[in-house]
Coordinates of all heavy atoms in Angstrom, one line a residue:
M85 N -35.2 -30.9 -61.7 CA -36.2 -30.4 -60.8 C -36.3 -29.1 -60.8 O -35.4 -28.1 -60.8 CB -35.9 -31.0 -59.4 CG -36.9 -30.5 -58.4 SD -36.4 -30.9 -56.7 CE -37.5 -32.4 -56.5
D86 N -37.6 -28.5 -60.9 CA -37.9 -27.0 -60.9 C -37.7 -26.5 -59.5 O -38.0 -27.1 -58.5 CB -39.3 -26.8 -61.5 CG -39.4 -27.1 -62.8 OD1 -38.4 -27.0 -63.6 OD2 -40.6 -27.4 -63.2
R87 N -37.3 -25.3 -59.5 CA -37.0 -24.7 -58.1 C -38.4 -24.2 -57.5 O -38.5 -24.3 -56.3 CB -36.2 -23.4 -58.3 CG -35.9 -22.6 -57.0 CD -35.0 -21.5 -57.3 NE -34.7 -20.8 -56.0 CZ -34.0 -19.7 -56.0 NH1 -33.3 -19.2 -56.9 NH2 -33.9 -19.1 -54.7
Y88 N -39.2 -23.9 -58.3 CA -40.6 -23.5 -57.9 C -41.7 -24.3 -58.5 O -41.7 -24.6 -59.7 CB -41.0 -21.9 -58.2 CG -40.0 -21.0 -57.5 CD1 -39.1 -20.3 -58.4 CD2 -39.8 -20.7 -56.2 CE1 -38.0 -19.5 -57.8 CE2 -38.9 -19.8 -55.7 CZ -38.0 -19.2 -56.5 OH -37.1 -18.3 -56.0
N89 N -42.9 -24.6 -57.8 CA -44.1 -25.2 -58.4 C -44.7 -24.0 -59.2 O -44.3 -22.8 -59.1 CB -45.0 -25.9 -57.5 CG -45.5 -25.0 -56.4 OD1 -45.9 -23.8 -56.7 ND2 -45.7 -25.4 -55.3
A90 N -45.8 -24.2 -59.9 CA -46.5 -23.3 -60.8 C -47.0 -22.0 -60.0 O -46.7 -20.9 -60.3 CB -47.6 -24.0 -61.6
S91 N -47.5 -22.4 -58.9 CA -48.1 -21.3 -58.0 C -47.1 -20.4 -57.5 O -47.1 -19.2 -57.3 CB -49.0 -21.8 -56.8 OG -49.3 -20.9 -56.0
E92 N -46.0 -21.0 -56.9 CA -44.8 -20.2 -56.5 C -44.1 -19.4 -57.5 O -43.8 -18.2 -57.3 CB -43.7 -21.3 -55.9 CG -44.2 -21.8 -54.5 CD -43.3 -23.0 -54.1 OE1 -42.5 -23.6 -54.9 OE2 -43.3 -23.2 -52.9
A93 N -43.9 -19.9 -58.7 CA -43.4 -19.1 -59.8 C -44.2 -18.0 -60.2 O -43.7 -16.9 -60.4 CB -43.3 -20.0 -61.1
L94 N -45.6 -18.1 -60.2 CA -46.4 -17.0 -60.4 C -46.2 -15.8 -59.3 O -46.2 -14.7 -59.6 CB -47.8 -17.4 -60.6 CG -48.9 -16.3 -60.9 CD1 -48.6 -15.6 -62.2 CD2 -50.2 -16.9 -61.0
N95 N -46.1 -16.4 -58.1 CA -46.0 -15.4 -56.9 C -44.6 -14.6 -57.2 O -44.6 -13.4 -56.8 CB -46.0 -16.0 -55.5 CG -47.4 -16.4 -55.3 OD1 -48.4 -15.9 -55.7 ND2 -47.5 -17.4 -54.2
V96 N -43.6 -15.3 -57.4 CA -42.4 -14.6 -57.6 C -42.5 -13.6 -58.9 O -41.9 -12.4 -58.7 CB -41.3 -15.7 -58.0 CG1 -40.0 -14.9 -58.5 CG2 -40.9 -16.4 -56.9
Q97 N -43.1 -13.8 -59.9 CA -43.4 -12.9 -61.0 C -44.2 -11.8 -60.6 O -44.0 -10.6 -61.1 CB -44.0 -13.5 -62.2 CG -43.2 -14.6 -62.8 CD -43.9 -15.3 -63.9 OE1 -45.1 -15.3 -64.1 NE2 -43.3 -16.0 -64.9
L98 N -44.9 -11.8 -59.5 CA -45.8 -10.8 -59.1 C -45.1 -9.9 -58.0 O -45.8 -9.3 -57.3 CB -47.1 -11.2 -58.6 CG -48.0 -11.9 -59.9 CD1 -49.2 -12.6 -59.3 CD2 -48.3 -11.0 -60.9
G99 N -43.9 -10.2 -57.7 CA -43.2 -9.3 -56.7 C -43.3 -9.9 -55.2 O -43.0 -9.2 -54.4
Q100 N -43.7 -11.2 -55.1 CA -43.8 -11.7 -53.8 C -42.5 -12.1 -53.1 O -42.3 -12.6 -52.0 CB -44.6 -13.0 -53.9 CG -46.1 -12.9 -54.4 CD -46.8 -11.9 -53.4 OE1 -46.8 -12.0 -52.2 NE2 -47.6 -11.0 -54.0
A101 N -41.4 -11.8 -53.8 CA -39.9 -12.1 -53.3 C -39.5 -10.8 -52.4 O -38.5 -10.9 -51.9 CB -39.0 -12.3 -54.4
G102 N -40.4 -10.0 -52.2 CA -40.1 -8.9 -51.3 C -40.0 -7.5 -52.1 O -40.3 -7.4 -53.3
Y103 N -39.6 -6.5 -51.5 CA -39.5 -5.1 -52.1 C -38.4 -4.3 -51.4 O -37.9 -4.7 -50.3 CB -40.8 -4.4 -51.9 CG -41.2 -4.0 -50.6 CD1 -40.8 -2.7 -50.1 CD2 -41.9 -4.9 -49.8 CE1 -41.2 -2.5 -48.8 CE2 -42.3 -4.5 -48.5 CZ -41.9 -3.4 -48.0 OH -42.2 -3.1 -46.7
D104 N -38.0 -3.3 -52.1 CA -37.0 -2.2 -51.6 C -37.8 -0.9 -51.6 O -38.3 -0.5 -52.6 CB -35.8 -2.2 -52.3 CG -35.0 -3.5 -52.2 OD1 -34.6 -3.7 -51.0 OD2 -34.9 -4.2 -53.0
Y105 N -37.9 -0.2 -50.5 CA -38.5 1.1 -50.4 C -37.2 2.2 -50.6 O -36.4 2.1 -49.9 CB -39.0 1.3 -49.0 CG -40.0 2.5 -48.9 CD1 -41.3 2.6 -49.3 CD2 -39.4 3.8 -48.2 CE1 -42.0 3.7 -49.2 CE2 -40.2 4.8 -48.1 CZ -41.5 4.8 -48.5 OH -42.2 6.0 -48.3
V106 N -37.4 2.8 -51.8 CA -36.2 3.6 -52.3 C -36.6 5.1 -52.2 O -37.5 5.5 -52.9 CB -35.8 3.0 -53.7 CG1 -34.5 4.0 -54.1 CG2 -35.5 1.6 -53.6
T107 N -35.8 5.9 -51.6 CA -35.9 7.4 -51.7 C -34.5 7.9 -52.1 O -33.7 7.9 -51.3 CB -36.4 7.9 -50.4 OG1 -37.6 7.3 -50.0 CG2 -36.5 9.5 -50.3
N108 N -34.6 8.6 -53.2 CA -33.3 9.3 -53.6 C -32.1 8.4 -53.6 O -31.2 8.8 -52.9 CB -33.1 10.6 -52.9 CG -31.9 11.4 -53.4 OD1 -31.7 11.4 -54.7 ND2 -31.3 12.1 -52.6
D109 N -32.3 7.2 -54.2 CA -31.2 6.1 -53.9 C -31.2 5.2 -55.2 O -32.1 5.3 -55.9 CB -31.4 5.5 -52.5 CG -30.1 4.8 -52.1 OD1 -29.1 4.9 -52.6 OD2 -30.1 4.1 -50.9
T110 N -30.3 4.2 -55.0 CA -30.2 3.3 -56.0 C -30.2 1.8 -55.4 O -29.7 1.6 -54.3 CB -28.8 3.3 -56.8 OG1 -28.7 4.6 -57.4 CG2 -28.7 2.2 -57.8
V111 N -30.9 0.9 -56.0 CA -30.9 -0.5 -55.6 C -30.3 -1.2 -56.9 O -30.5 -0.8 -58.1 CB -32.2 -1.1 -55.4 CG1 -32.9 -0.6 -54.1 CG2 -33.3 -1.0 -56.6
N112 N -29.4 -2.1 -56.6 CA -28.6 -2.9 -57.6 C -28.3 -4.2 -57.0 O -28.3 -4.5 -56.0 CB -27.5 -2.1 -58.2 CG -26.6 -1.7 -57.1 OD1 -26.1 -2.5 -56.2 ND2 -26.2 -0.3 -57.0
Q113 N -27.6 -5.0 -58.0 CA -27.2 -6.3 -57.6 C -25.9 -6.3 -56.7 O -25.5 -7.4 -56.3 CB -27.0 -7.1 -58.9 CG -28.3 -7.4 -59.6 CD -28.2 -8.2 -60.9 OE1 -27.1 -8.1 -61.5 NE2 -29.2 -8.8 -61.3
T114 N -25.2 -5.2 -56.7 CA -24.1 -5.1 -55.7 C -24.6 -5.3 -54.3 O -24.1 -6.0 -53.4 CB -23.3 -3.8 -55.9 OG1 -22.8 -3.7 -57.2 CG2 -22.2 -3.6 -55.0
T115 N -25.7 -4.4 -53.9 CA -26.3 -4.5 -52.6 C -27.2 -5.6 -52.4 O -27.4 -6.1 -51.3 CB -27.0 -3.2 -52.3 OG1 -28.0 -2.9 -53.4 CG2 -26.0 -2.0 -52.3
N116 N -27.7 -6.2 -53.5 CA -28.7 -7.3 -53.4 C -28.3 -8.4 -54.4 O -28.9 -8.4 -55.6 CB -30.2 -6.9 -53.6 CG -30.7 -5.9 -52.6 OD1 -30.8 -6.4 -51.4 ND2 -31.0 -4.7 -52.9
P117 N -27.2 -9.1 -54.3 CA -26.8 -10.1 -55.3 C -27.9 -10.9 -55.8 O -28.8 -11.4 -55.1 CB -25.8 -10.9 -54.5 CG -25.4 -10.1 -53.4 CD -26.7 -9.2 -52.9
S118 N -27.8 -11.2 -57.1 CA -28.8 -12.1 -57.8 C -30.2 -11.7 -57.9 O -31.1 -12.4 -58.1 CB -28.7 -13.6 -57.3 OG -27.4 -14.1 -57.4
T119 N -30.5 -10.4 -57.6 CA -31.9 -9.8 -57.5 C -32.2 -9.1 -58.8 O -31.2 -8.3 -59.2 CB -32.0 -8.8 -56.3 OG1 -31.8 -9.6 -55.1 CG2 -33.3 -8.2 -56.4
N120 N -33.2 -9.3 -59.3 CA -33.8 -8.3 -60.3 C -35.1 -7.9 -59.7 O -35.7 -8.4 -59.0 CB -34.1 -9.1 -61.7 CG -32.9 -9.5 -62.4 OD1 -32.0 -8.8 -62.5 ND2 -32.7 -10.8 -62.7
W121 N -35.5 -6.6 -60.2 CA -36.8 -6.0 -59.8 C -37.7 -6.0 -60.9 O -37.4 -5.8 -62.1 CB -36.4 -4.5 -59.3 CG -35.6 -4.6 -58.1 CD1 -36.1 -4.4 -56.8 CD2 -34.2 -4.7 -57.9 NE1 -35.2 -4.5 -55.8 CE2 -34.0 -4.6 -56.4 CE3 -33.1 -4.8 -58.8 CZ2 -32.6 -4.7 -56.1 CZ3 -31.9 -5.0 -58.2 CH2 -31.6 -4.9 -56.9
I122 N -39.0 -6.3 -60.7 CA -39.9 -6.6 -61.7 C -41.0 -5.6 -61.8 O -41.9 -5.6 -62.7 CB -40.4 -8.0 -61.6 CG1 -41.1 -8.3 -60.1 CG2 -39.5 -9.1 -61.8 CD1 -42.5 -7.9 -60.0
A123 N -41.1 -4.7 -60.9 CA -42.1 -3.5 -60.9 C -41.6 -2.4 -60.0 O -40.9 -2.6 -59.1 CB -43.4 -4.1 -60.4
I124 N -41.9 -1.2 -60.5 CA -41.6 -0.1 -59.8 C -42.8 0.8 -59.6 O -43.5 1.1 -60.6 CB -40.6 0.9 -60.6 CG1 -39.4 0.1 -60.9 CG2 -40.2 2.1 -59.8 CD1 -38.5 0.8 -62.1
T125 N -43.3 1.1 -58.3 CA -44.5 1.9 -58.0 C -43.9 3.2 -57.5 O -43.2 3.2 -56.4 CB -45.3 1.1 -57.1 OG1 -45.8 -0.1 -57.6 CG2 -46.6 1.9 -56.8
M126 N -44.4 4.3 -58.1 CA -44.0 5.6 -57.6 C -44.9 5.9 -56.5 O -46.2 5.9 -56.7 CB -44.1 6.6 -58.7 CG -43.0 6.3 -59.8 SD -41.2 6.3 -59.3 CE -41.0 8.0 -58.8
I127 N -44.3 6.4 -55.3 CA -45.1 6.7 -54.2 C -45.1 8.2 -54.2 O -46.3 8.8 -53.8 CB -44.4 6.1 -52.9 CG1 -44.3 4.6 -52.9 CG2 -45.2 6.5 -51.7 CD1 -45.8 3.9 -53.2
A128 N -44.0 8.9 -54.1 CA -44.0 10.4 -54.1 C -42.9 10.9 -55.0 O -42.0 10.2 -55.2 CB -43.7 10.8 -52.7
G129 N -43.3 12.1 -55.7 CA -42.4 12.5 -56.7 C -42.6 11.8 -58.1 O -43.6 11.0 -58.1
T130 N -41.8 12.0 -59.0 CA -42.2 11.5 -60.3 C -41.0 11.1 -61.1 O -41.2 10.6 -62.3 CB -42.8 12.5 -61.1 OG1 -42.1 13.6 -61.3 CG2 -44.2 12.9 -60.5
T131 N -39.8 11.0 -60.7 CA -38.6 10.7 -61.5 C -37.9 9.4 -61.2 O -37.4 9.2 -60.1 CB -37.6 11.8 -61.4 OG1 -38.2 13.0 -61.7 CG2 -36.5 11.6 -62.5
I132 N -37.9 8.5 -62.2 CA -36.9 7.3 -62.2 C -35.8 7.9 -63.0 O -35.8 8.1 -64.2 CB -37.6 6.1 -62.9 CG1 -38.9 5.8 -62.1 CG2 -36.6 5.0 -62.9 CD1 -39.6 4.6 -62.9
T133 N -34.7 7.9 -62.4 CA -33.5 8.5 -63.0 C -32.9 7.4 -64.0 O -32.4 7.8 -65.1 CB -32.4 8.9 -62.0 OG1 -33.1 9.8 -61.0 CG2 -31.2 9.6 -62.7
T134 N -32.7 6.1 -63.5 CA -32.2 5.1 -64.3 C -32.8 3.8 -63.9 O -33.2 3.5 -62.8 CB -30.6 4.9 -64.0 OG1 -30.0 6.1 -64.1 CG2 -30.0 3.8 -64.9
A135 N -33.1 3.0 -64.9 CA -33.5 1.5 -64.7 C -33.0 0.8 -65.7 O -33.2 0.9 -67.0 CB -35.0 1.5 -64.7
T136 N -31.9 -0.1 -65.4 CA -31.3 -0.8 -66.3 C -31.9 -2.2 -66.5 O -32.0 -3.1 -65.7 CB -29.8 -1.2 -65.9 OG1 -29.1 0.1 -65.7 CG2 -28.9 -1.8 -67.0
S137 N -32.5 -2.5 -67.9 CA -33.3 -3.7 -68.2 C -32.3 -4.9 -68.3 O -31.1 -4.9 -68.8 CB -34.0 -3.4 -69.6 OG -34.5 -4.6 -69.9
V138 N -32.8 -6.0 -67.9 CA -32.1 -7.3 -68.0 C -32.7 -7.9 -69.2 O -32.2 -9.0 -69.6 CB -32.1 -8.1 -66.8 CG1 -31.3 -7.5 -65.6 CG2 -33.5 -8.5 -66.4
D139 N -33.9 -7.6 -69.8 CA -34.5 -8.1 -71.0 C -34.5 -7.1 -72.0 O -35.6 -6.6 -72.4 CB -35.9 -8.6 -70.6 CG -35.8 -9.8 -69.5 OD1 -34.9 -10.6 -69.7 OD2 -36.7 -9.8 -68.9
T140 N -33.3 -6.6 -72.5 CA -33.4 -5.6 -73.5 C -34.1 -5.9 -74.8 O -34.5 -5.0 -75.6 CB -32.0 -5.1 -73.8 OG1 -31.2 -6.1 -74.3 CG2 -31.3 -4.4 -72.6
D141 N -34.3 -7.2 -75.2 CA -35.1 -7.6 -76.3 C -36.5 -7.3 -76.1 O -37.2 -7.3 -77.1 CB -34.8 -9.0 -76.7 CG -35.1 -9.9 -75.7 OD1 -35.0 -9.7 -74.5 OD2 -35.4 -11.2 -75.9
V142 N -37.0 -7.2 -74.9 CA -38.4 -7.0 -74.6 C -38.7 -5.5 -74.0 O -39.6 -4.8 -74.4 CB -38.9 -8.1 -73.4 CG1 -40.4 -7.8 -73.0 CG2 -38.8 -9.5 -74.0
W143 N -37.8 -5.1 -73.0 CA -37.9 -3.9 -72.3 C -36.7 -3.0 -72.5 O -35.7 -3.5 -72.3 CB -38.1 -4.0 -70.8 CG -39.2 -5.0 -70.5 CD1 -39.3 -6.2 -70.1 CD2 -40.7 -4.6 -70.4 NE1 -40.4 -6.7 -69.8 CE2 -41.4 -5.7 -70.1 CE3 -41.4 -3.3 -70.6 CZ2 -42.8 -5.6 -69.9 CZ3 -42.7 -3.3 -70.5 CH2 -43.4 -4.4 -70.1
D144 N -36.9 -1.8 -72.9 CA -35.7 -0.9 -72.9 C -35.2 -0.3 -71.5 O -36.1 -0.4 -70.7 CB -36.0 0.5 -73.8 CG -36.2 0.0 -75.2 OD1 -35.6 -0.9 -75.6 OD2 -37.0 0.8 -76.0
S145 N -34.1 0.0 -71.4 CA -33.6 0.6 -70.2 C -34.2 2.0 -70.0 O -34.6 2.6 -71.1 CB -32.1 0.7 -70.2 OG -31.5 -0.6 -70.0
I146 N -34.3 2.6 -69.0 CA -35.0 3.8 -68.7 C -33.9 4.8 -68.3 O -33.0 4.6 -67.5 CB -36.0 3.8 -67.6 CG1 -37.1 2.9 -68.0 CG2 -36.5 5.1 -67.2 CD1 -38.1 2.5 -66.9
S147 N -33.9 6.0 -68.9 CA -33.0 7.1 -68.6 C -33.9 8.4 -68.5 O -34.5 8.9 -69.3 CB -32.0 7.4 -69.6 OG -31.3 8.4 -69.3
T148 N -34.1 8.9 -67.1 CA -34.9 10.0 -66.6 C -36.3 10.0 -67.3 O -36.6 10.5 -68.3 CB -34.2 11.3 -67.2 OG1 -32.8 11.2 -66.7 CG2 -34.7 12.4 -66.3
L149 N -37.1 9.2 -66.7 CA -38.5 9.1 -67.0 C -39.4 9.7 -65.9 O -39.3 9.4 -64.6 CB -38.9 7.6 -67.2 CG -40.3 7.3 -67.5 CD1 -40.7 7.8 -68.9 CD2 -40.6 5.9 -67.5
E150 N -40.2 10.5 -66.3 CA -41.2 11.3 -65.3 C -42.5 10.3 -65.3 O -43.0 10.0 -66.4 CB -41.6 12.6 -65.8 CG -40.5 13.6 -66.0 CD -39.9 14.0 -64.6 OE1 -40.7 14.2 -63.7 OE2 -38.7 14.1 -64.5
V151 N -42.8 9.9 -64.0 CA -43.9 8.9 -63.9 C -44.9 9.5 -62.8 O -44.4 9.9 -61.7 CB -43.4 7.6 -63.4 CG1 -44.4 6.6 -63.2 CG2 -42.4 7.0 -64.5
P152 N -46.2 9.6 -62.9 CA -47.0 10.0 -62.0 C -47.1 9.2 -60.8 O -46.9 7.9 -60.8 CB -48.4 10.1 -62.6 CG -48.1 10.0 -64.1 CD -46.8 9.2 -64.2
A153 N -47.2 9.8 -59.5 CA -47.2 9.0 -58.3 C -48.4 8.2 -58.4 O -49.5 8.4 -59.0 CB -47.4 10.1 -57.1
G154 N -48.2 6.9 -57.8 CA -49.2 5.9 -57.9 C -49.2 5.0 -59.1 O -49.9 4.0 -59.2
T155 N -48.4 5.2 -60.0 CA -48.2 4.4 -61.2 C -47.2 3.3 -61.1 O -46.2 3.5 -60.4 CB -47.7 5.3 -62.4 OG1 -48.6 6.4 -62.6 CG2 -47.5 4.6 -63.8
T156 N -47.4 2.2 -61.6 CA -46.5 1.0 -61.6 C -46.1 0.7 -62.9 O -46.9 0.7 -63.9 CB -47.3 -0.2 -60.9 OG1 -47.7 0.1 -59.6 CG2 -46.3 -1.4 -61.0
I157 N -44.7 0.6 -63.0 CA -44.2 0.2 -64.3 C -43.6 -1.3 -64.2 O -42.9 -1.5 -63.2 CB -43.0 1.2 -64.7 CG1 -43.6 2.6 -65.0 CG2 -42.3 0.6 -65.9 CD1 -42.5 3.5 -65.2
Y158 N -43.9 -2.1 -65.1 CA -43.4 -3.5 -65.0 C -42.3 -3.7 -66.1 O -42.2 -3.1 -67.1 CB -44.5 -4.5 -65.4 CG -45.7 -4.3 -64.3 CD1 -46.8 -3.4 -64.7 CD2 -45.6 -5.1 -63.2 CE1 -47.8 -3.3 -63.7 CE2 -46.7 -5.0 -62.3 CZ -47.8 -4.1 -62.5 OH -48.7 -3.9 -61.6
G159 N -41.4 -4.6 -65.6 CA -40.2 -4.9 -66.5 C -39.4 -5.8 -65.7 O -39.8 -6.6 -64.7
R160 N -38.0 -5.9 -66.0 CA -37.1 -6.7 -65.3 C -35.8 -5.9 -65.3 O -35.2 -5.7 -66.4 CB -36.7 -8.2 -65.9 CG -37.9 -9.0 -65.6 CD -37.7 -10.4 -66.1 NE -36.5 -11.0 -65.6 CZ -36.3 -11.6 -64.5 NH1 -37.3 -11.8 -63.7 NH2 -35.3 -12.2 -64.2
W161 N -35.4 -5.4 -64.1 CA -34.2 -4.4 -64.0 C -33.3 -4.9 -63.0 O -33.5 -5.6 -62.1 CB -34.6 -3.0 -63.6 CG -35.7 -2.4 -64.6 CD1 -35.3 -1.8 -65.7 CD2 -37.0 -2.3 -64.4 NE1 -36.5 -1.3 -66.3 CE2 -37.6 -1.7 -65.6 CE3 -38.1 -2.7 -63.5 CZ2 -38.9 -1.4 -65.8 CZ3 -39.2 -2.5 -63.7 CH2 -39.8 -1.9 -64.8
S162 N -31.9 -4.6 -63.3 CA -30.9 -5.0 -62.5 C -30.3 -3.7 -61.7 O -29.8 -4.0 -60.6 CB -29.7 -5.7 -63.3 OG -29.2 -4.6 -64.2
V163 N -30.6 -2.6 -62.0 CA -30.3 -1.4 -61.3 C -31.6 -0.4 -61.5 O -32.2 -0.2 -62.6 CB -29.1 -0.7 -62.0 CG1 -28.7 0.6 -61.4 CG2 -27.9 -1.6 -61.8
I164 N -31.9 0.3 -60.3 CA -33.0 1.2 -60.5 C -32.5 2.3 -59.6 O -32.1 2.3 -58.5 CB -34.3 0.8 -59.8 CG1 -34.7 -0.5 -60.7 CG2 -35.3 1.9 -59.8 CD1 -36.0 -1.2 -60.0
T165 N -32.5 3.6 -60.1 CA -32.2 4.8 -59.4 C -33.4 5.7 -59.4 O -34.1 6.0 -60.4 CB -31.0 5.6 -59.9 OG1 -29.9 4.6 -60.1 CG2 -30.6 6.7 -59.1
I166 N -33.8 6.0 -58.1 CA -35.0 7.0 -57.9 C -34.5 8.4 -57.7 O -33.5 8.6 -57.0 CB -35.9 6.5 -56.8 CG1 -36.3 5.1 -57.0 CG2 -37.0 7.4 -56.6 CD1 -37.1 4.9 -58.4
G167 N -35.0 9.4 -58.3 CA -34.5 10.8 -58.2 C -34.6 11.5 -56.9 O -35.2 10.9 -56.0
S168 N -33.9 12.6 -56.8 CA -33.9 13.3 -55.6 C -35.3 13.8 -55.1 O -36.0 14.3 -55.8 CB -33.1 14.6 -55.9 OG -32.9 15.4 -54.6
G169 N -35.6 13.5 -53.8 CA -36.8 13.8 -53.2 C -38.0 12.9 -53.6 O -39.1 13.2 -53.3
D170 N -37.7 11.9 -54.4 CA -38.7 11.0 -55.0 C -38.6 9.6 -54.2 O -37.6 9.2 -53.6 CB -38.6 10.8 -56.4 CG -38.7 12.1 -57.2 OD1 -39.4 12.9 -56.8 OD2 -38.1 12.1 -58.4
T171 N -39.7 9.0 -54.0 CA -39.8 7.6 -53.4 C -40.6 6.6 -54.2 O -41.6 7.0 -54.9 CB -40.6 7.8 -52.0 OG1 -39.9 8.8 -51.2 CG2 -40.7 6.5 -51.3
A172 N -40.0 5.4 -54.3 CA -40.7 4.3 -55.0 C -40.6 3.0 -54.2 O -39.6 2.9 -53.4 CB -40.0 4.1 -56.4
I173 N -41.5 2.1 -54.6 CA -41.3 0.7 -54.0 C -40.9 -0.1 -55.3 O -41.5 -0.2 -56.3 CB -42.6 0.2 -53.5 CG1 -43.1 1.0 -52.2 CG2 -42.5 -1.3 -53.1 CD1 -44.5 0.6 -51.7
C174 N -39.7 -0.8 -55.1 CA -39.1 -1.5 -56.2 C -39.3 -3.0 -55.7 O -38.8 -3.5 -54.7 CB -37.7 -1.2 -56.3 SG -37.5 0.6 -56.7
Y175 N -40.1 -3.8 -56.5 CA -40.6 -5.2 -56.1 C -39.5 -6.1 -56.7 O -39.1 -6.1 -57.9 CB -41.9 -5.5 -56.6 CG -43.0 -4.7 -56.0 CD1 -43.5 -3.4 -56.4 CD2 -43.4 -5.1 -54.7 CE1 -44.4 -2.8 -55.8 CE2 -44.5 -4.5 -54.1 CZ -44.9 -3.2 -54.6 OH -45.8 -2.5 -53.9
R176 N -39.0 -7.0 -55.9 CA -38.0 -8.0 -56.3 C -38.7 -9.2 -56.9 O -39.8 -9.6 -56.6 CB -37.2 -8.6 -55.0 CG -36.5 -7.6 -54.3 CD -35.8 -8.2 -53.1 NE -35.4 -7.2 -52.2 CZ -35.6 -7.2 -50.9 NH1 -36.0 -8.4 -50.3 NH2 -35.1 -6.3 -50.1
G177 N -38.1 -9.6 -58.1 CA -38.6 -10.8 -58.8 C -38.0 -12.1 -58.4 O -37.1 -12.2 -57.6

């Protein structure tokens, strides 16, 4: 039996599982067990310090990437660190 029907599965892929508002901090599976993040939207500032990909055959991990505020990056990450003085919304998958 599938855990989600087709509509629910699409919502989960679009970040309907919630989000973490991150300022100069890290979200990871230690603080949110079994969570992957599927999108990062930069709110203020521009630096994603680290984002560890869980689908390395599709998405590379990120190491110090400058991203304009208002930009959303999609992928699947197990760890995201937002730089000093920067803020992002990290959507759970």
Side-chain angles (χ1 to χ4, degrees):
M85 174 184 256
D86 292 329
R87 182 173 175 182
Y88 302 109
N89 66 36
S91 177
E92 291 169 334
L94 183 57
N95 285 340
V96 168
Q97 290 176 344
L98 296 174
Q100 299 299 315
Y103 66 91
D104 293 291
Y105 191 80
V106 183
T107 300
N108 187 31
D109 202 359
T110 298
V111 290
N112 57 49
Q113 293 177 334
T114 301
T115 56
N116 294 296
S118 303
T119 299
N120 287 316
W121 290 265
I122 52 90
I124 305 166
T125 299
M126 295 304 291
I127 301 301
T130 60
T131 305
I132 298 172
T133 305
T134 305
T136 304
S137 177
V138 296
D139 294 326
T140 55
D141 57 329
V142 178
W143 303 100
D144 291 333
S145 292
I146 297 171
S147 178
T148 312
L149 179 65
E150 299 292 320
V151 181
T155 301
T156 301
I157 297 175
Y158 298 93
R160 289 181 55 83
W161 298 282
S162 60
V163 177
I164 301 170
T165 302
I166 302 303
S168 177
D170 299 334
T171 302
I173 298 174
C174 301
Y175 294 91
R176 298 178 198 140

